[in-house]
Amino acid sequence: MAGSGFGKNIRISTFGESHGTALGVVIDGFPSGMELNPEDIQKLLDRRKPGTSEATTQRKEDDLVEILSGVFEGKTTGTPIALLVRNTSQRSSDYSDIANYYRPGHADFCFDAKYGFRDYRGGGRSSGRETVGRVAAGALCKKLLSQMGIEVMAYTRSIGDVEIDYSSFDKDAITRTPTSMPDVKASGRAMELIRKCREEEDSIGGTIECRITGVPAGVGEPVFDKLDALLAQAVVSIGAVKAVEFGDGISVSRYKGSENNDNFIMSGDKVTKKTNHSGGIIGGISDGSDILLRAHIKPTPSIARTQQTINKSGENIDINIHGRHDPVVVPRAVVVVEAMCAIVLLDLMISNMSSRASYITDFYNK
Amino acid sequence: MAGSGFGKNIRISTFGESHGTALGVVIDGFPSGMELNPEDIQKLLDRRKPGTSEATTQRKEDDLVEILSGVFEGKTTGTPIALLVRNTSQRSSDYSDIANYYRPGHADFCFDAKYGFRDYRGGGRSSGRETVGRVAAGALCKKLLSQMGIEVMAYTRSIGDVEIDYSSFDKDAITRTPTSMPDVKASGRAMELIRKCREEEDSIGGTIECRITGVPAGVGEPVFDKLDALLAQAVVSIGAVKAVEFGDGISVSRYKGSENNDNFIMSGDKVTKKTNHSGGIIGGISDGSDILLRAHIKPTPSIARTQQTINKSGENIDINIHGRHDPVVVPRAVVVVEAMCAIVLLDLMISNMSSRASYITDFYNK
Amino acid sequence: MAGSGFGKNIRISTFGESHGTALGVVIDGFPSGMELNPEDIQKLLDRRKPGTSEATTQRKEDDLVEILSGVFEGKTTGTPIALLVRNTSQRSSDYSDIANYYRPGHADFCFDAKYGFRDYRGGGRSSGRETVGRVAAGALCKKLLSQMGIEVMAYTRSIGDVEIDYSSFDKDAITRTPTSMPDVKASGRAMELIRKCREEEDSIGGTIECRITGVPAGVGEPVFDKLDALLAQAVVSIGAVKAVEFGDGISVSRYKGSENNDNFIMSGDKVTKKTNHSGGIIGGISDGSDILLRAHIKPTPSIARTQQTINKSGENIDINIHGRHDPVVVPRAVVVVEAMCAIVLLDLMISNMSSRASYITDFYNK
Amino acid sequence: MAGSGFGKNIRISTFGESHGTALGVVIDGFPSGMELNPEDIQKLLDRRKPGTSEATTQRKEDDLVEILSGVFEGKTTGTPIALLVRNTSQRSSDYSDIANYYRPGHADFCFDAKYGFRDYRGGGRSSGRETVGRVAAGALCKKLLSQMGIEVMAYTRSIGDVEIDYSSFDKDAITRTPTSMPDVKASGRAMELIRKCREEEDSIGGTIECRITGVPAGVGEPVFDKLDALLAQAVVSIGAVKAVEFGDGISVSRYKGSENNDNFIMSGDKVTKKTNHSGGIIGGISDGSDILLRAHIKPTPSIARTQQTINKSGENIDINIHGRHDPVVVPRAVVVVEAMCAIVLLDLMISNMSSRASYITDFYNK
């Protein structure tokens, strides 16, 4: 069953393996007339590019994007936009060992159970490199959203037990710190922790937060395609995410109604809320407040220290995984969260354009 | 945009409003030849039925299901199964007030923003009664799963700060306690808390846990239709759910790789794992261990104590919401979580049947 | 696999068997705010109702529609609209014979091959009664289309070798003649032919034409979801349709380019065409001219005269099919063609609302 | 709205413009373990390649396919297969004229109406070159079908008024004649006609027939996803197709039931039919007989002789279209019809694998 496609009005289909020829995405249904040049996409791809700091794998990939279709004279045409990134730094020899055993915490065993065999080089399709296509597609959606005053901003909230301090929130730091943290000091402490993990041949988890500002009220389809439900699918579909929260998230399970309810209040002639425990979504529909979610990410499963596992012959063995691995997934995943949120939001904003009969008749009768 | 449908191989379409004529579901793609009688469905519907204890609203609804199509001589035919539950205890007069204002924590304002007006009676489509169709559909999926040795079991893990004690886990208690807790003592304490909330004209949140046993390895489609990604959509789509965790969930953000990785180990000739931090899913695909997830649920937004809000004329007002409301959503939502998990799992198990070319050629060449 | 759903923005899910409890449809994604009362739907259902003339089966069904959800205070709410028609004149005893053999021209054998058994009463789900849900859904779409100046008009073009004469085209006759022909004289001759078929214990085929006026240019998605491609699926999905043509249809295979091309020409400040060989669709997109298609329909397979077939034990047998059958399917199928065309068109018109980036930014930035 | 994707279990997403960088397809959901090398695909691409005879355009394109993903060690992996064909012979200068006017019979005007502007070079996305991705995807489906004894064979049935003679049907001739006719003599006459059209600066239409053998009974989903309904969408979605017929097609509208019904009869212990007027499909489900359909194709709209049209300024003008055009679309479209039929059939065969509850329980309980 096809499982590498996402979205309804705008449908993305990603492809590619970690050590295959290329990765990419086809974006079908993107509207015509938006100016687009490769730099719009490259800027985001560069944020997830490996090899840029101690916090990431030492594999070097330029991840240069090529636009294959769907753009003419600098503008999107409304037809499918195919984006291609060729792999250049495959060292498949690194992976000859793992062909025969199942790495703990990796999908090796599950892929074999499902498909009978697998492209074992660097995790193949289950590698984090799969997200190249997501980020490329997200770049387009972010650009169009920005033209409606909507900003999708994710950042690292914590790595291990190092959390950012909201009182020193510095938006510019997100793209400047190697941790993608909006707090230079916390980032420094996180880098120390990461170095320590490296030394101990270990890895570490963390948390990404995403805030979306400027979303009008009314976006999201009730019942199954709720805004938060689709954001949950989108975010949990990112490898290594093990939990997602909206607004006050897990805390609400201990709240009373009087604590959790956000009171509506007029701010001039605009409806607003006194608090935002709901994270900007009620009943699956945006309420006009900031949308806020958090994704909790597990530590990189590839670690150098000795681990127990089994091989394909069903023998218990000890392994040490060498190679080029991120000691922490979080910093590079920040832009992936942004991308997925942007894709969901734009798709549901389009759906919302036909929510009223009058929207349709007004469009055609004008 | 259609948003009340869910699933690919088996597609459910739910309909109905809290105080409308009827609620129900059409289940399209359910396979032929499974024995089905109304009791199979009624049993689950009775678990979400209102009016059964102090923990629930005092609205009385029998929620009797009628099978309209798709079943012949006691067996499913492979054609759409339409299930209908008529509303019998609408007291729409209770809701005349709320026509003109927006209840805090409810979707009233969002529905108006989206659709221009709303069926305000009891929340209309945004009411928890919407889940009647989900539970009815889930009953069929649970039955077929059970014929493959798969059990989907959800229960209340906590209400407010009252948590179950796993050492006294009693499965039978889930359907016997008014809280749906598998722990009679904890349930007693939770009922006290609920009573206190009622007295204080307030409500309370809680957490539901779901454990799925017997799932073979290999279920789930990589990338966007991961088993956990679709479970996340399914669970967050249930009204009032504000967070979902898989396996160790949010805790993994503080783990090191060496703590979080589950080591594979042979148990006789069967692949198993020493631990199950992953909650039975790696890379979006089942690994043969128990699947474990948790949903965090906000307190019922309808509370009798005075709240601030605005009316449709844009005036700040004070309100007191009377009527028949659950002081806590959790106990009745347990069976909804089970239903949604069963629907996702069966759907992906069908997808998995064509994951290998040999599965297809074997099927047709035999 | 779910196969009883249709449409993307507006998704219909039909259900029900010929001799089951009820038939109906859930329409998900229909926009809010359109006035709707049962008569809007009933009027179209009455056009496909059986028992109204010699041209149809003598089974009497009132086919009264009940609106179960999605309408409040006389207007659609944007949430799923469930429509129900109960069966009242099941005479299942008529069908006890056919449980054991496969009627020529009917889907009996195919259903058994697929599902292992079947609801044999009146053809079950493969009966023409399945179209009740389509017509009910089509009624809503036609109403909204009419508010944009779009008319979907189908009629019987021929029954056997009796064709209408376009020079005496009388639109009002479509709903007045028992044949749904827009030509009273041709209809008279067709009725004679139908009577003769009855006497000979035989049945007859025919052709339905559909003309859609008022469609703006630009509707239809290139490549797979072309306007004509989806109309083709929609029309061929109606039981008994064996061919579909657009514009000049099969004739174009003998044309030269110079004969077939429609020259564009200005009519005042409006783009128009000198001819309409294309039937209003070029490259899968509407060109602003009338859309024209034809569906060719086979004769009713149920005939009283002796036929050869096999039974479930694999024996060759002779059968005579008695019961209440239409001698010709065409007159009652006319409104089904209208319904399906209306559903396709409205769905693609909604898709078209997001074809340009400026449409989206204009909607949200206003 | 995304419209360049097709299929459910196996989902193809095509991309690319006539004179853009590249064309291609992503095939998502194709099962693992099928041997695949580029030649499997190239063989079919070569059948639609331009520049091979007088019957085709003189544009030379090698149409060499590159496999970008989804294949490892010579076998499909179950993950998305991306296939790329780069354009090499773009002469966009040929098309500078047409930027400013609307060619009769082409989608130029419709694209502008929809998207506000268009990639005018060679028709952009509306060019026949769009089918490269379809054929590449079809090659994989055809290969897997052949492993189940199923052959999808299309051929030119007629060009203009030159029809093949079934009594001299020569299957090998299909790939040897420049017309794709299975009749060398008819092909010779057709080539004369084509030459004459060229001389007259004109073009000609024709008909393609497709016969699918070896399909088991039971394939196709009742109601909207009928085998014939999806084949109709698939075939009509091919540019220039204006009609599609199944079995006896339009002739059935003049048949009586006694003429049209195919009698079932035992052939040894196998169910068969005495005739095959239905073209192998009843009630939308395969009946085990050969599946037979015909597509009617319009003449190439690009002709050199003077035509009337309008320009973008809304002026009536005369034009002569020069450049490299096929005088007839039919011969190269034959393999496109095969590809689309193979994609539909394999997809529905997979759907059919979960039609019975016992199929699912047998799969998992073994």
Side-chain angles (χ1 to χ4, degrees), chain A residues 74-197:
Chain A
K75 286 187 296 185
T76 59
T77 60
T79 61
I81 299 165
L83 303 175
L84 192 72
V85 170
R86 290 201 177 258
N87 286 317
T88 59
S89 175
Q90 305 103 310
R91 292 214 312 244
S92 303
S93 56
D94 287 3
Y95 296 94
S96 48
D97 284 358
I98 67 170
N100 293 312
Y101 62 75
Y102 299 127
R103 293 169 298 166
H106 276 289
D108 302 345
F109 169 71
C110 298
F111 266 68
D112 265 20
K114 185 176 195 70
Y115 295 116
F117 83 121
R118 72 185 191 282
D119 180 348
Y120 51 77
R121 301 165 304 164
R125 182 72 177 146
S126 71
S127 161
R129 273 193 77 65
E130 164 265 317
T131 59
V132 160
R134 301 179 185 227
V135 171
L140 276 71
C141 297
K142 278 196 70 172
K143 181 161 187 175
L144 190 55
L145 288 172
S146 75
Q147 296 178 4
M148 292 177 280
I150 296 169
E151 187 189 33
V152 182
M153 175 186 64
Y155 47 84
T156 300
R157 184 176 180 259
S158 67
I159 290 178
D161 53 8
V162 180
E163 277 195 33
I164 59 166
D165 177 354
Y166 285 92
S167 68
S168 55
F169 193 102
D170 173 7
K171 189 177 148 181
D172 292 340
I174 300 172
T175 49
R176 284 201 331 255
T177 56
T179 56
S180 303
M181 278 176 158
D183 173 346
V184 175
K185 282 190 190 160
S187 181
R189 292 199 310 278
M191 286 306 290
E192 279 174 50
L193 173 61
I194 290 167
R195 263 175 232 118
K196 191 153 161 281
C197 289

Side-chain angles (χ1 to χ4, degrees), chain D residues 336-348:
Chain D
V336 184
V337 170
E338 278 186 15
M340 291 307 300
C341 291
I343 292 165
V344 169
L345 182 60
L346 180 56
D347 203 39
L348 284 173

Side-chain angles (χ1 to χ4, degrees), chain A residues 172-365:
Chain A
D172 292 340
I174 300 172
T175 49
R176 284 201 331 255
T177 56
T179 56
S180 303
M181 278 176 158
D183 173 346
V184 175
K185 282 190 190 160
S187 181
R189 292 199 310 278
M191 286 306 290
E192 279 174 50
L193 173 61
I194 290 167
R195 263 175 232 118
K196 191 153 161 281
C197 289
R198 263 196 199 281
E199 283 164 24
E200 294 171 353
E201 303 192 312
D202 215 332
S203 62
I204 188 74
T207 301
I208 292 170
E209 198 158 70
C210 186
R211 181 178 291 274
I212 315 176
T213 52
V215 181
V219 178
E221 300 300 308
V223 188
F224 300 113
D225 292 347
K226 288 185 159 94
L227 176 51
D228 41 3
L230 290 181
L231 286 169
Q233 181 198 353
V235 167
V236 174
S237 79
I238 302 171
V241 173
K242 298 301 287 182
V244 64
E245 302 181 89
F246 297 89
D248 287 3
I250 67 161
S251 306
V252 302
S253 67
R254 289 167 182 267
Y255 282 177
K256 295 196 172 163
S258 56
E259 294 169 299
N260 185 59
N261 282 348
D262 298 314
N263 293 321
F264 290 103
I265 190 163
M266 296 307 295
S267 166
D269 64 347
K270 201 175 166 304
V271 175
T272 179
K273 299 182 324 187
K274 288 179 89 167
T275 51
N276 189 16
H277 301 295
S278 73
I281 304 171
I282 316 178
I285 305 175
S286 63
D287 64 18
S289 311
D290 287 1
I291 291 168
L292 197 76
L293 64 84
R294 273 177 306 285
H296 298 272
I297 294 185
K298 71 177 186 182
T300 318
S302 290
I303 53 176
R305 62 166 63 183
T306 304
Q307 297 185 92
Q308 282 190 304
T309 193
I310 59 168
N311 63 20
K312 290 178 76 169
S313 314
E315 295 161 329
N316 293 316
I317 59 170
D318 279 353
I319 59 162
N320 297 70
I321 301 174
H322 296 292
R324 304 168 296 176
H325 305 291
D326 291 293
V328 59
V329 172
V330 173
R332 295 175 56 205
V334 162
V335 71
V336 184
V337 170
E338 277 186 16
M340 291 307 302
C341 291
I343 294 165
V344 168
L345 181 61
L346 181 56
D347 203 38
L348 284 173
M349 285 177 71
I350 293 174
S351 293
N352 188 49
M353 290 171 65
S354 59
S355 52
R356 302 187 192 182
S358 61
Y359 291 161
I360 303 172
T361 53
D362 285 356
F363 182 88
Y364 282 105
N365 288 339

Side-chain angles (χ1 to χ4, degrees), chain A residues 1 3 113-114 202-203 205 218 220-221 224 226 237 242 244 246 253 258 261 266 274 278 301 307-308 352 356, chain B residues 1 3 113-114 202 205 218 220-221 224 226 237 242 244 246 253 257-258 261 274 278 301 307-308 314 316 352 356:
Chain A
M1 166 65 76
K114 185 176 195 70
D202 215 332
S203 62
E221 300 300 308
F224 300 113
K226 288 185 159 94
S237 79
K242 298 301 287 182
V244 64
F246 297 89
S253 67
S258 56
N261 282 348
M266 296 307 295
K274 288 179 89 167
S278 73
Q307 297 185 92
Q308 282 190 304
N352 188 49
R356 302 187 192 182
Chain B
M1 166 66 76
K114 184 175 196 70
D202 216 331
E221 300 300 307
F224 300 113
K226 288 185 160 94
S237 79
K242 298 301 287 184
V244 64
F246 296 89
S253 68
S258 56
N261 282 348
K274 287 179 89 168
S278 74
Q307 295 185 93
Q308 281 190 305
N316 294 316
N352 187 50
R356 302 186 192 184

Side-chain angles (χ1 to χ4, degrees), chain C residues 255-299:
Chain C
Y255 282 177
K256 297 196 170 166
S258 57
E259 294 168 299
N260 185 58
N261 283 349
D262 299 314
N263 293 321
F264 289 104
I265 190 164
M266 296 307 295
S267 165
D269 62 349
K270 199 174 167 304
V271 176
T272 179
K273 299 183 325 187
K274 288 179 89 167
T275 51
N276 190 17
H277 300 296
S278 74
I281 304 172
I282 316 179
I285 305 175
S286 63
D287 65 16
S289 310
D290 286 0
I291 291 169
L292 198 75
L293 64 83
R294 272 177 305 287
H296 298 271
I297 293 184
K298 72 178 186 182

